[in-house]
Short mmCIF file of all heavy atoms in Angstrom, two decimals:
data_model
loop_
_atom_site.label_atom_id
_atom_site.label_comp_id
_atom_site.label_asym_id
_atom_site.label_seq_id
_atom_site.Cartn_x
_atom_site.Cartn_y
_atom_site.Cartn_z
N TRP A 1051 123.08 101.09 146.06
CA TRP A 1051 123.17 99.66 146.35
C TRP A 1051 123.01 98.83 145.08
O TRP A 1051 122.16 99.14 144.23
CB TRP A 1051 122.07 99.25 147.33
CG TRP A 1051 122.27 99.73 148.73
CD1 TRP A 1051 123.46 99.98 149.36
CD2 TRP A 1051 121.25 100.00 149.69
NE1 TRP A 1051 123.23 100.39 150.65
CE2 TRP A 1051 121.89 100.41 150.88
CE3 TRP A 1051 119.86 99.91 149.67
CZ2 TRP A 1051 121.17 100.75 152.04
CZ3 TRP A 1051 119.15 100.25 150.81
CH2 TRP A 1051 119.79 100.66 151.98
N PHE A 1052 123.82 97.80 144.99
CA PHE A 1052 123.69 96.81 143.90
C PHE A 1052 123.12 95.55 144.53
O PHE A 1052 123.70 95.05 145.49
CB PHE A 1052 125.06 96.57 143.26
CG PHE A 1052 125.63 97.84 142.68
CD1 PHE A 1052 126.38 98.71 143.47
CD2 PHE A 1052 125.38 98.19 141.36
CE1 PHE A 1052 126.88 99.90 142.95
CE2 PHE A 1052 125.87 99.38 140.83
CZ PHE A 1052 126.62 100.24 141.63
N LEU A 1053 122.00 95.07 144.00
CA LEU A 1053 121.24 94.07 144.73
C LEU A 1053 121.15 92.73 144.02
O LEU A 1053 120.92 92.65 142.82
CB LEU A 1053 119.82 94.60 144.98
CG LEU A 1053 119.72 95.93 145.75
CD1 LEU A 1053 118.26 96.35 145.88
CD2 LEU A 1053 120.38 95.83 147.12
N GLN A 1054 121.36 91.68 144.83
CA GLN A 1054 121.18 90.32 144.34
C GLN A 1054 119.95 89.72 145.02
O GLN A 1054 119.84 89.77 146.25
CB GLN A 1054 122.41 89.46 144.69
CG GLN A 1054 122.31 88.02 144.22
CD GLN A 1054 123.32 87.10 144.91
OE1 GLN A 1054 123.69 87.31 146.06
NE2 GLN A 1054 123.74 86.06 144.20
N GLY A 1055 119.04 89.19 144.23
CA GLY A 1055 117.86 88.55 144.80
C GLY A 1055 117.63 87.23 144.08
O GLY A 1055 118.51 86.73 143.40
N LYS A 1056 116.42 86.68 144.24
CA LYS A 1056 116.08 85.47 143.48
C LYS A 1056 115.63 85.92 142.11
O LYS A 1056 114.80 86.82 141.98
CB LYS A 1056 114.95 84.71 144.18
CG LYS A 1056 115.39 83.99 145.43
CD LYS A 1056 114.54 82.70 145.62
CE LYS A 1056 114.92 81.98 146.89
NZ LYS A 1056 114.43 82.69 148.11
N LYS A 1057 116.14 85.24 141.10
CA LYS A 1057 115.89 85.69 139.73
C LYS A 1057 114.40 85.85 139.41
O LYS A 1057 113.98 86.91 138.93
CB LYS A 1057 116.53 84.70 138.77
CG LYS A 1057 116.45 85.12 137.33
CD LYS A 1057 117.40 84.27 136.54
CE LYS A 1057 117.19 84.44 135.06
NZ LYS A 1057 118.20 83.67 134.33
N ASP A 1058 113.60 84.82 139.72
CA ASP A 1058 112.18 84.94 139.33
C ASP A 1058 111.49 86.06 140.11
O ASP A 1058 110.61 86.73 139.59
CB ASP A 1058 111.44 83.59 139.50
CG ASP A 1058 111.74 82.92 140.82
OD1 ASP A 1058 112.73 83.31 141.49
OD2 ASP A 1058 111.00 82.01 141.22
N GLU A 1059 111.95 86.29 141.35
CA GLU A 1059 111.36 87.38 142.12
C GLU A 1059 111.71 88.75 141.53
O GLU A 1059 110.88 89.65 141.49
CB GLU A 1059 111.81 87.32 143.59
CG GLU A 1059 111.15 86.19 144.35
CD GLU A 1059 111.63 86.08 145.80
OE1 GLU A 1059 112.25 87.05 146.31
OE2 GLU A 1059 111.41 85.03 146.40
N ILE A 1060 112.96 88.86 141.09
CA ILE A 1060 113.40 90.14 140.49
C ILE A 1060 112.63 90.38 139.19
O ILE A 1060 112.18 91.50 138.91
CB ILE A 1060 114.92 90.13 140.23
CG1 ILE A 1060 115.70 89.99 141.54
CG2 ILE A 1060 115.35 91.40 139.48
CD1 ILE A 1060 115.57 91.14 142.51
N TYR A 1061 112.48 89.33 138.40
CA TYR A 1061 111.75 89.47 137.14
C TYR A 1061 110.31 89.90 137.40
O TYR A 1061 109.76 90.76 136.74
CB TYR A 1061 111.77 88.15 136.36
CG TYR A 1061 113.01 87.96 135.52
CD1 TYR A 1061 114.27 88.21 136.03
CD2 TYR A 1061 112.91 87.52 134.20
CE1 TYR A 1061 115.40 88.04 135.28
CE2 TYR A 1061 114.05 87.34 133.43
CZ TYR A 1061 115.29 87.59 133.96
OH TYR A 1061 116.40 87.43 133.20
N LYS A 1062 109.71 89.26 138.42
CA LYS A 1062 108.33 89.58 138.78
C LYS A 1062 108.25 91.02 139.29
O LYS A 1062 107.35 91.77 138.93
CB LYS A 1062 107.87 88.59 139.87
CG LYS A 1062 106.41 88.62 140.20
CD LYS A 1062 105.63 87.64 139.30
CE LYS A 1062 104.13 87.68 139.56
NZ LYS A 1062 103.50 88.98 139.38
N LEU A 1063 109.23 91.37 140.11
CA LEU A 1063 109.27 92.71 140.70
C LEU A 1063 109.32 93.80 139.63
O LEU A 1063 108.73 94.86 139.79
CB LEU A 1063 110.50 92.82 141.61
CG LEU A 1063 110.72 94.15 142.33
CD1 LEU A 1063 109.65 94.38 143.38
CD2 LEU A 1063 112.10 94.18 142.99
N SER A 1064 110.03 93.51 138.55
CA SER A 1064 110.19 94.53 137.51
C SER A 1064 108.84 94.99 136.99
O SER A 1064 108.70 96.13 136.55
CB SER A 1064 111.06 94.00 136.37
OG SER A 1064 110.38 93.03 135.61
N GLU A 1065 107.83 94.12 137.09
CA GLU A 1065 106.49 94.53 136.64
C GLU A 1065 105.92 95.67 137.47
O GLU A 1065 105.24 96.54 136.94
CB GLU A 1065 105.52 93.35 136.69
CG GLU A 1065 105.80 92.31 135.64
CD GLU A 1065 105.01 91.04 135.85
OE1 GLU A 1065 103.96 91.07 136.52
OE2 GLU A 1065 105.48 89.99 135.35
N SER A 1066 106.23 95.65 138.77
CA SER A 1066 105.64 96.71 139.59
C SER A 1066 106.36 98.03 139.35
O SER A 1066 105.88 99.09 139.73
CB SER A 1066 105.58 96.32 141.07
OG SER A 1066 106.81 96.48 141.70
N TYR A 1067 107.55 97.98 138.75
CA TYR A 1067 108.22 99.21 138.34
C TYR A 1067 107.80 99.63 136.93
O TYR A 1067 108.33 100.57 136.37
CB TYR A 1067 109.74 99.04 138.36
CG TYR A 1067 110.34 99.06 139.74
CD1 TYR A 1067 110.72 97.89 140.38
CD2 TYR A 1067 110.57 100.27 140.39
CE1 TYR A 1067 111.29 97.91 141.64
CE2 TYR A 1067 111.16 100.31 141.64
CZ TYR A 1067 111.51 99.13 142.26
OH TYR A 1067 112.08 99.17 143.50
N LEU A 1068 106.89 98.87 136.35
CA LEU A 1068 106.35 99.18 135.02
C LEU A 1068 107.39 99.13 133.93
O LEU A 1068 107.27 99.78 132.91
CB LEU A 1068 105.71 100.60 135.01
CG LEU A 1068 104.88 101.02 136.20
CD1 LEU A 1068 104.71 102.53 136.22
CD2 LEU A 1068 103.53 100.35 136.17
N VAL A 1069 108.48 98.42 134.16
CA VAL A 1069 109.45 98.29 133.08
C VAL A 1069 109.14 97.02 132.29
O VAL A 1069 108.45 96.13 132.76
CB VAL A 1069 110.91 98.24 133.56
CG1 VAL A 1069 111.28 99.54 134.24
CG2 VAL A 1069 111.18 97.06 134.47
N GLN A 1070 109.66 96.99 131.12
CA GLN A 1070 109.54 95.81 130.28
C GLN A 1070 110.18 94.66 131.04
O GLN A 1070 111.28 94.78 131.56
CB GLN A 1070 110.30 96.11 128.99
CG GLN A 1070 110.40 94.98 128.02
CD GLN A 1070 111.45 95.33 126.98
OE1 GLN A 1070 111.64 96.48 126.61
NE2 GLN A 1070 112.16 94.33 126.52
N LYS A 1071 109.44 93.56 131.14
CA LYS A 1071 109.97 92.42 131.88
C LYS A 1071 111.23 91.88 131.21
O LYS A 1071 111.23 91.67 130.00
CB LYS A 1071 108.90 91.34 131.91
CG LYS A 1071 109.06 90.34 133.02
CD LYS A 1071 107.85 89.46 133.06
CE LYS A 1071 108.14 88.19 133.82
NZ LYS A 1071 107.07 87.22 133.65
N PRO A 1072 112.31 91.69 131.96
CA PRO A 1072 113.53 91.19 131.31
C PRO A 1072 113.30 89.82 130.67
O PRO A 1072 112.59 89.00 131.21
CB PRO A 1072 114.54 91.10 132.45
CG PRO A 1072 113.90 91.67 133.65
CD PRO A 1072 112.45 91.87 133.39
N GLN A 1073 113.90 89.61 129.55
CA GLN A 1073 113.73 88.32 128.86
C GLN A 1073 115.10 87.80 128.45
O GLN A 1073 116.04 88.54 128.32
CB GLN A 1073 112.90 88.52 127.61
CG GLN A 1073 111.46 88.83 127.92
CD GLN A 1073 110.66 89.11 126.68
OE1 GLN A 1073 111.23 89.44 125.64
NE2 GLN A 1073 109.37 88.99 126.80
N GLU A 1074 115.14 86.50 128.22
CA GLU A 1074 116.39 85.94 127.75
C GLU A 1074 116.25 85.63 126.27
O GLU A 1074 115.28 85.03 125.85
CB GLU A 1074 116.71 84.65 128.51
CG GLU A 1074 117.12 84.95 129.93
CD GLU A 1074 117.37 83.69 130.74
OE1 GLU A 1074 117.98 82.75 130.20
OE2 GLU A 1074 116.93 83.66 131.89
N ASP A 1075 117.21 86.06 125.49
CA ASP A 1075 117.12 85.75 124.06
C ASP A 1075 117.90 84.48 123.77
O ASP A 1075 118.40 83.82 124.68
CB ASP A 1075 117.53 86.93 123.20
CG ASP A 1075 119.03 87.15 123.19
OD1 ASP A 1075 119.76 86.35 123.79
OD2 ASP A 1075 119.45 88.13 122.56
N ALA A 1076 117.96 84.13 122.53
CA ALA A 1076 118.55 82.86 122.13
C ALA A 1076 119.99 82.72 122.62
O ALA A 1076 120.43 81.66 123.01
CB ALA A 1076 118.49 82.72 120.63
N LYS A 1077 120.71 83.80 122.64
CA LYS A 1077 122.12 83.75 123.04
C LYS A 1077 122.29 83.67 124.55
O LYS A 1077 123.39 83.80 125.06
CB LYS A 1077 122.84 84.99 122.55
CG LYS A 1077 123.20 84.99 121.09
CD LYS A 1077 123.87 86.31 120.80
CE LYS A 1077 124.47 86.36 119.42
NZ LYS A 1077 124.89 87.73 119.11
N GLN A 1078 121.18 83.49 125.28
CA GLN A 1078 121.23 83.46 126.73
C GLN A 1078 121.73 84.78 127.28
O GLN A 1078 122.23 84.88 128.39
CB GLN A 1078 122.11 82.31 127.25
CG GLN A 1078 121.52 80.94 127.02
CD GLN A 1078 120.20 80.75 127.75
OE1 GLN A 1078 120.13 80.93 128.96
NE2 GLN A 1078 119.16 80.41 127.04
N GLN A 1079 121.64 85.79 126.47
CA GLN A 1079 121.97 87.12 126.96
C GLN A 1079 120.68 87.75 127.41
O GLN A 1079 119.61 87.38 126.97
CB GLN A 1079 122.58 87.97 125.85
CG GLN A 1079 124.02 87.65 125.57
CD GLN A 1079 124.94 88.28 126.60
OE1 GLN A 1079 124.49 88.71 127.65
NE2 GLN A 1079 126.22 88.31 126.28
N PHE A 1080 120.77 88.69 128.27
CA PHE A 1080 119.57 89.33 128.72
C PHE A 1080 119.30 90.59 127.92
O PHE A 1080 120.20 91.35 127.64
CB PHE A 1080 119.69 89.71 130.19
CG PHE A 1080 119.92 88.54 131.06
CD1 PHE A 1080 121.19 88.24 131.50
CD2 PHE A 1080 118.87 87.72 131.43
CE1 PHE A 1080 121.42 87.15 132.30
CE2 PHE A 1080 119.10 86.63 132.23
CZ PHE A 1080 120.37 86.34 132.67
#
Side-chain angles (χ1 to χ4, degrees):
Chain A
W1051 288 331
F1052 300 87
L1053 302 178
Q1054 180 197 31
K1056 287 212 182 73
K1057 185 166 169 176
D1058 47 344
E1059 287 178 16
I1060 298 294
Y1061 275 46
K1062 190 90 182 58
L1063 180 68
S1064 72
E1065 289 169 23
S1066 79
Y1067 284 101
L1068 319 162
V1069 296
Q1070 175 193 327
K1071 201 172 161 191
Q1073 290 176 339
E1074 288 177 42
D1075 74 4
K1077 282 178 171 170
Q1078 290 298 304
Q1079 282 281 15
F1080 300 99

